[in-house]
Amino acid sequence: MNRKQLELYFIMGTSNVKNANPLNVLELALQAGVTFFQFREKGSSALKGLQYEEFARECQALCRKYNVPFIVNDDIELALKLEADGVHVGQDDMAVAETRKLVGNKILGVSVHNLDELEVAIRNKADYIGVGPIYKTKSKADAKEPAGTRFLQQASKKYPSLPIVAIGGISSLNCHESIEAGADGVAVISAICESANIHQTVNEFKQKINDASQVS
Ligand code: 3NM
């Protein structure tokens, strides 16, 4: 994968969208120019069974229409069944080595919080890593304490060729801090899902990210 694709990484599941159709939200985000998509159907109200699979297929079809990679959070079986472009796993999900074996050469993203986890991800040929939460987030019930950009900076300095996306509480107002600290892009849920004007929000993100990457 090309690290430029991580620029504005949109993550969504039905529970992240309050007063709209999640597929409309996804299509607006794709039209506006998000560059990566992660299907993350979590929480007590998450779809199950056939409805879950159908919703995933609809998200995937939209991503294909806009030529944006479709990544499945955590559910390797679904990713394989749908022939998704990739999977993203956290530290509580399947071990990275095992995941890499199962997914072959699909894109593999791994959430890491320290150098040990980062090095395991690299050894198992993660294509990119996610670092977070940078700021306080309301979109992940079991998120760790906000870590700011210190570890992000450390990781990008130590492994400059590793694609990195920053996550957690990122908005168009603070995204430049992650880019300046060395991230290739930012991953967001609420900033887009809760935006009253997705086109404008995506444009603001892209402008800010672009400006910050000229500097960093
Ligand atoms: N993972 P929002 S934070 C899915 O720290 C996720 O690994 C995180 O949502 C991590 O953009 C997070 O609304 C939620 O803060 C990001």
Side-chain angles (χ1 to χ4, degrees):
M1 65 166 260
N2 171 354
R3 62 196 303 169
K4 190 76 187 118
Q5 288 176 298
L6 293 177
E7 180 184 3
L8 184 53
Y9 186 151
F10 180 42
I11 303 175
M12 189 197 74
T14 51
S15 70
N16 303 124
V17 179
K18 301 290 178 299
N19 297 312
N21 177 337
L23 291 171
N24 289 345
V25 169
L26 175 56
E27 184 149 25
L28 285 173
L30 290 163
Q31 272 168 357
V34 298
T35 54
F36 227 64
F37 175 68
Q38 183 187 122
F39 175 78
R40 183 173 181 276
E41 183 62 8
K42 295 248 180 184
S44 53
S45 62
L47 299 174
K48 300 266 183 302
L50 272 182
Q51 275 187 319
Y52 166 77
E53 189 179 317
E54 190 48 37
F55 177 54
R57 285 186 193 278
E58 287 170 329
C59 290
Q60 182 180 31
L62 283 174
C63 289
R64 284 203 175 133
K65 179 170 163 193
Y66 292 89
N67 205 16
V68 163
F70 172 80
I71 307 296
V72 172
N73 180 283
D74 191 12
D75 188 344
I76 316 291
E77 204 179 309
L78 181 75
L80 293 172
K81 185 167 184 186
L82 266 55
E83 297 184 19
D85 299 298
V87 295
H88 185 96
V89 291
Q91 295 295 322
D92 300 330
D93 304 326
M94 186 184 283
V96 191
E98 178 77 357
T99 308
R100 175 47 92 199
K101 264 193 218 136
L102 288 173
V103 303
N105 60 7
K106 285 190 191 304
I107 297 170
L108 171 59
V110 182
S111 297
V112 305
H113 310 95
N114 54 52
L115 278 181
D116 287 344
E117 293 174 355
L118 170 58
E119 279 156 12
V120 171
I122 292 176
R123 269 204 301 284
N124 291 291
K125 310 217 163 15
D127 293 287
Y128 72 90
I129 56 154
V131 173
I134 306 296
Y135 311 105
K136 193 168 166 48
T137 177
K138 56 182 176 164
S139 308
K140 183 173 162 75
D142 58 350
K144 297 193 185 308
E145 278 301 299
T149 55
R150 221 168 72 99
F151 173 58
L152 176 59
Q153 205 155 13
Q154 193 186 10
S156 77
K157 277 230 168 73
K158 190 153 187 201
Y159 297 101
S161 61
L162 180 68
I164 304 180
V165 68
I167 188 165
I170 295 178
S171 71
S172 59
L173 298 177
N174 62 24
C175 63
H176 60 288
E177 295 173 352
S178 294
I179 303 300
E180 285 160 9
D184 295 284
V186 295
V188 304
I189 298 180
S190 53
I192 291 181
C193 284
E194 293 173 17
S195 167
N197 185 335
I198 291 177
H199 259 267
Q200 188 180 327
T201 301
V202 167
N203 284 335
E204 285 167 2
F205 265 111
K206 293 190 79 161
Q207 184 70 52
K208 262 275 183 68
I209 293 169
N210 202 35
D211 290 349
S213 28
Q214 313 288 322
V215 180
S216 58

